[in-house]
Amino acid sequence: MPILQLSEVSRSFGQGARRVDAVREVSLQVDRGEVVALEGPSGSGKTTLLALAGALLTPTAGEILVDGEDITKYGARARTRYRRDRVGFVFQGSNMVPFLTARENLLLVGDFGAIDRPALRRRADELLEQLDLAGVRDQVATSLSGGERQRVAIARALMRDPTLLLVDEPTASLNFELGARVVDALLSEVHLRDKACIMVTHDDRMAQRADRLVEILDGAIVSDRPLR
Ligand SMILES: Nc1ncnc2c1ncn2[C@@H]1O[C@H](COP(=O)(O)OP(=O)(O)OP(=O)(O)O)[C@@H](O)[C@H]1O
Ligand SMILES: [Mg+2]
């Protein structure tokens, strides 16, 4: 069973002459251990699609199954729980807390949970190690490079061990070399931990590193092909 399965999902905003069809009858599935690059021009519906998969938005039509469960049928509390426990978001622009260290930024995620502190610290250190951030663990966010910040944002999204990672433009402000390192770190985490991931990007060189490439244009998927 795929982790994520969208069936003819549509989402529009506004009404009448002002209506925008941001996502139009999209069908897409993402399997365990798979990174799907979602590529398309500005305004093509990429962020809207991520928000739908993460239950930040509800579709106007269609069905979204996660581990076989229809998340569009969830009430407010189930949606909150789903977003908190099963989805890891990395939003456009990595939004770290500036004056906390890399490690403190990871531990922040645990503050509203019931997991014990030592276990959280172990998990944070393990993720920092795996994302090649152990050396900058105690540096404040403002002193980190763009690529390091993006990897911290990915580590933070992984703290709760989500099944689904939704990553919006992780390499937008980075040069090729730093961007490639961020994408490769993401790939190895998803493969190692058997997550499913959608990574939005404008940059075809980054998209080409993923397991699969899906192209979106005006809210509709225009191509979907494996890359390995
Ligand atoms: N809340 C909203 N209200 C009205 N229109 C919206 C809303 N959110 C998105 N849209 C419109 O839906 C379309 C798709 O937007 P979306 O943010 O998904 O694009 P995108 O592919 O992520 O673009 P970018 O690459 O610039 O981030 C755009 O035309 C946008 O203006
Ligand atoms: Mg966007």
Side-chain angles (χ1 to χ4, degrees):
M1 187 198 293
I3 289 186
L4 176 69
Q5 184 154 22
L6 281 74
S7 307
E8 305 201 350
V9 170
S10 298
R11 170 70 204 216
S12 52
F13 296 103
Q15 283 176 6
R18 291 186 154 191
R19 184 173 129 152
V20 178
D21 294 313
V23 168
R24 294 185 290 138
E25 294 178 1
V26 163
S27 295
L28 175 70
Q29 71 174 53
V30 187
D31 290 319
R32 213 166 283 282
E34 191 177 39
V35 176
V36 171
L38 181 64
E39 198 187 355
S42 185
S44 56
K46 304 182 297 295
T47 297
T48 305
L49 197 62
L50 284 197
L52 288 165
L56 291 169
L57 285 174
T58 46
T60 326
E63 194 177 62
I64 303 174
L65 302 184
V66 176
D67 284 330
E69 237 175 84
D70 189 349
I71 65 163
T72 67
K73 299 231 166 23
Y74 283 170
R77 290 179 77 174
R79 284 162 66 88
T80 304
R81 223 174 12 240
Y82 168 72
R83 290 195 293 250
R84 191 192 60 199
D85 297 338
R86 289 161 71 197
V87 183
F89 286 106
V90 181
F91 293 106
Q92 235 165 334
S94 76
N95 52 45
M96 290 178 69
V97 181
F99 297 103
L100 295 181
T101 67
R103 190 194 203 209
E104 285 164 346
N105 266 277
L106 262 60
L107 294 176
L108 215 55
V109 172
D111 281 356
F112 44 87
I115 321 164
D116 68 295
R117 301 296 293 176
L120 272 180
R121 276 196 290 271
R122 278 196 302 277
R123 176 150 185 79
D125 287 345
E126 186 186 276
L127 283 168
L128 289 169
E129 182 80 40
Q130 274 160 12
L131 288 159
D132 199 17
L133 292 163
V136 299
R137 188 186 86 165
D138 299 313
Q139 270 177 241
V140 291
T142 46
S143 73
L144 299 176
S145 76
E148 286 162 352
R149 271 182 233 179
Q150 290 293 35
R151 294 203 307 277
V152 173
I154 290 166
R156 191 176 50 182
L158 287 163
M159 277 295 285
R160 284 181 170 279
D161 201 21
T163 35
L164 180 61
L165 260 181
L166 301 171
V167 185
D168 206 349
E169 300 264 16
T171 65
S173 57
L174 305 178
N175 66 32
F176 175 75
E177 213 168 301
L178 283 180
R181 275 185 79 188
V182 169
V183 174
D184 292 349
L186 186 63
L187 278 162
S188 71
E189 285 302 305
V190 170
H191 295 160
L192 183 74
R193 292 168 193 264
D194 249 359
K195 312 285 181 201
C197 173
I198 301 180
M199 173 186 80
V200 163
T201 182
H202 272 111
D203 186 340
D204 193 53
R205 294 173 307 172
M206 297 305 155
Q208 291 295 336
R209 303 178 95 81
D211 300 309
R212 216 171 102 208
L213 175 59
V214 169
E215 289 178 87
I216 185 169
L217 196 63
D218 291 332
I221 288 178
V222 292
S223 105
D224 182 344
R225 60 181 190 273
L227 296 174
R228 54 181 92 212

